[in-house]
């Protein structure tokens, strides 16, 4: 406490310090910037995605890529299979908020392996147009199938 004895403003009371507002009005009110989406209720402006399970995400990746389940879930490590796996977990976990564990169970894999795919995909998505394109196509397929299923009900 003695360290602050000789400092200016050491004896000032509350409200007199420059960083303490205590009843003073704000210098400027916070307002949403122009041109940005804003909803009065405070809800997110991100597109709402349908709720899916991991099996549906795997089925979408198979339908879009043309790979069969055994190749996707197997131990094969060629570029095409790796690309599809990474796009699958990127869409399922990042866009649809599925747990890595759920995707791992749908592919009969360990969660740490699927987590590794997700880490690699997160790094590669900025530099790989193929990965982004495939992930977008899987996402569109999932949304389209969810809409079709809702219309059938």
């Amino acid at each position: 406490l003695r360290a602050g004895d000789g400092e200016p403003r050491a004896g000032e009371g509350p409200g007199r310090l420059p960083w303490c507002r205590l009843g003073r009005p704000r210098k400027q009110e916070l307002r949403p910037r122009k041109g940005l989406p804003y909803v009065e209720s405070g809800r997110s402006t991100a597109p709402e995605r349908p709720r899916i399970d991991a099996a549906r995400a795997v089925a979408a990746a198979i339908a879009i890529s043309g790979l069969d389940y055994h190749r996707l879930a197997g131990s094969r490590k060629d570029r095409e299979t790796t690309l599809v796996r990474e796009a699958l977990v990127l869409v399922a976990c990042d866009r649809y908020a599925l747990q890595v564990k759920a995707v791992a169970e749908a592919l009969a894999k360990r969660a740490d392996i699927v987590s590794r795919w997700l880490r690699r995909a997160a790094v590669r998505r900025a530099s790989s147009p193929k990965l982004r394109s495939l992930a977008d196509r899987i996402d569109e397929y999932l949304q389209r199938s969810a809409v079709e299923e809702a219309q059938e009900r």
Side-chain angles (χ1 to χ4, degrees):
L1 293 173
R2 290 184 184 162
D5 277 345
E7 296 292 320
R9 300 189 186 112
E12 297 289 332
R16 302 225 178 236
L17 300 172
W19 56 85
C20 182
R21 289 196 0 247
L22 198 66
R24 284 187 269 158
R26 289 183 178 191
K27 291 182 181 175
Q28 74 182 59
E29 290 294 322
L30 295 177
R31 294 196 168 114
R33 288 185 274 160
K34 293 181 181 176
L36 295 177
Y38 177 73
V39 178
E40 284 293 328
S41 66
R43 292 182 58 203
S44 173
T45 57
E48 283 193 34
R49 300 194 188 277
R51 295 189 189 276
I52 63 164
D53 59 353
R56 180 176 280 184
V58 170
I62 289 170
I64 293 297
S65 68
L67 298 181
D68 65 340
Y69 174 82
H70 297 291
R71 182 172 171 189
L72 187 62
S75 61
R76 203 163 168 175
K77 295 181 181 178
D78 61 293
R79 286 184 184 182
E80 182 184 6
T81 306
T82 301
L83 182 72
V84 174
R85 287 173 181 157
E86 289 177 358
L88 164 64
V89 294
L90 191 62
V91 169
C93 299
D94 190 39
R95 298 184 189 181
Y96 287 88
L98 292 177
Q99 292 183 346
V100 169
K101 181 181 176 182
V103 178
E105 288 173 355
L107 291 171
K109 290 285 193 187
R110 291 192 338 248
D112 65 316
I113 292 172
V114 176
S115 178
R116 188 177 320 130
W117 297 345
L118 182 59
R119 281 194 313 270
R120 287 183 187 157
V123 170
R124 287 186 49 206
R125 75 174 142 197
S127 62
S128 175
K130 280 185 177 180
L131 178 64
R132 282 194 312 268
S133 172
L134 183 58
D136 289 342
R137 290 197 326 256
I138 292 171
D139 190 10
E140 288 170 11
Y141 182 89
L142 285 167
Q143 289 185 13
R144 201 171 43 247
S145 65
V147 168
E148 290 170 359
E149 184 179 303
Q151 288 175 348
E152 289 175 3
R153 289 183 193 173

